[in-house]
Amino acid sequence: MKAFVYREYGTSEVLQLEDVAVPEPGDEQVLVRVIAASVNPYDWHHLTGKPYLVRLMAGFRRPKEPTMLGADMAGRVESVGSAVTRWRPGDEVFGMRSGAFGEYVVCGQDRLARKPANVTFEQAAAVPMAGLTALQSLRDKGKVKAGQQVLIIGASGGVGTLAVQLAKAFGAHVTAVCSTRNVETVRGLGADRVIDYTGEDFVHSGHRYDLILDGPGNRSIRDRRRVLARNGILVMYSGPKKNRWVGPLLSTLRVSLASSFGTQKMTGMMTSNSKADLDLLGQLMAQGKVTPWIERTHPLVELPRAIDYVGTGHARGKVVITIG
């Protein structure tokens, strides 16, 4: 099969499209023919080996085998192991698994969700990592409730665009922050109010929010406290990538430390791969309550170009790779 492989850290130039063996599923595993996969900042971090914290898991001097990128994917079940009971060949599925930027991938049977019939493979592939991050940030860390005032900073990104829709599905009143070129798109996703940060500073808006989701993390803790309700919660799911050692984790540590003082809670986020949550995201897509915004699609051969774009930090919505 065709798949992108990398054997050293670096720019997209170290990626090579090669013929590799089709993986064999174990007894409780499923072989999926990948039809679409999406690019995440996660892939850029692992490709470059930055921040260096990534190398504690991926390999210090060079990446550990198997050296295939990609996590989010959607496709059709090709074959199943002898102990698999949930899936049959031909089933349309989506989920997260390392090595998604190839024609086939092997997954545990409990790592997949059924793709809704009214959702494209490209849309389904755009959801897993960003959707799980948005859902778990809102529901588990943020304790979102109907009627709450929710502020989403970075609302035009992969997580932000899904968070806007999920917060509305939970019954919240959503204020979204983005740049001028994204205002109408974000409003179309269901945001009740959109702040164009190029012309208005949400810190001086006079509003306070029960829950703030922050991806960019480029405002001071004092600024964020200023717009957070007295007993409000701020959840950071990413942050600035400038620190070469720990990257966004530095901002997460700072807000967590600040949370030790006062009644406002400020916390970081670690996404969990949950089949139950993937199933829920599938149901919400089927109901039309969540529709991923795909800014660009690229064929597999253009993966280096797509990763370069996501690595700039200016991608809007999701960038999807078509494979099958």
Side-chain angles (χ1 to χ4, degrees), residues 43 64 142-143 151 187 194 213 228 246 255 261:
D43 302 306
K64 299 175 183 177
K143 311 298 181 185
L151 177 69
R187 184 175 287 119
V194 182
L213 258 63
L228 189 60
V246 295
V255 299
F261 307 95

Side-chain angles (χ1 to χ4, degrees), residues 267-283:
T267 183
M269 169 66 196
M270 185 67 72
T271 305
S272 174
N273 191 353
S274 161
K275 183 184 186 311
D277 286 349
L278 283 174
D279 287 337
L280 175 57
L281 290 168
Q283 293 168 16

Side-chain angles (χ1 to χ4, degrees), residues 218-252:
N218 53 12
R219 301 304 296 261
S220 68
I221 291 175
R222 181 180 180 181
D223 282 347
R224 285 174 280 185
R225 280 193 181 281
R226 184 171 181 173
V227 294
L228 189 60
R230 185 174 181 275
N231 294 303
I233 300 174
L234 180 141
V235 181
M236 281 200 65
Y237 59 84
S238 186
K241 303 175 178 62
K242 295 178 181 179
N243 186 282
R244 64 179 178 173
W245 295 101
V246 295
L249 182 60
L250 181 62
S251 296
T252 301

Side-chain angles (χ1 to χ4, degrees), residues 68-128:
M68 293 169 60
L69 289 175
D72 290 351
M73 62 84 194
R76 288 191 180 91
V77 174
E78 187 80 3
S79 63
V80 302
S82 59
V84 172
T85 57
R86 294 177 177 173
W87 306 107
R88 297 178 180 179
D91 286 345
E92 298 181 346
V93 296
F94 71 105
M96 285 201 318
R97 184 66 171 94
S98 298
F101 297 140
E103 293 178 318
Y104 292 92
V105 69
V106 163
C107 301
Q109 65 170 330
D110 59 347
R111 295 295 187 180
L112 297 168
R114 191 171 302 278
K115 182 188 78 66
N118 60 340
V119 172
T120 69
F121 286 101
E122 290 79 11
Q123 289 173 325
V127 164

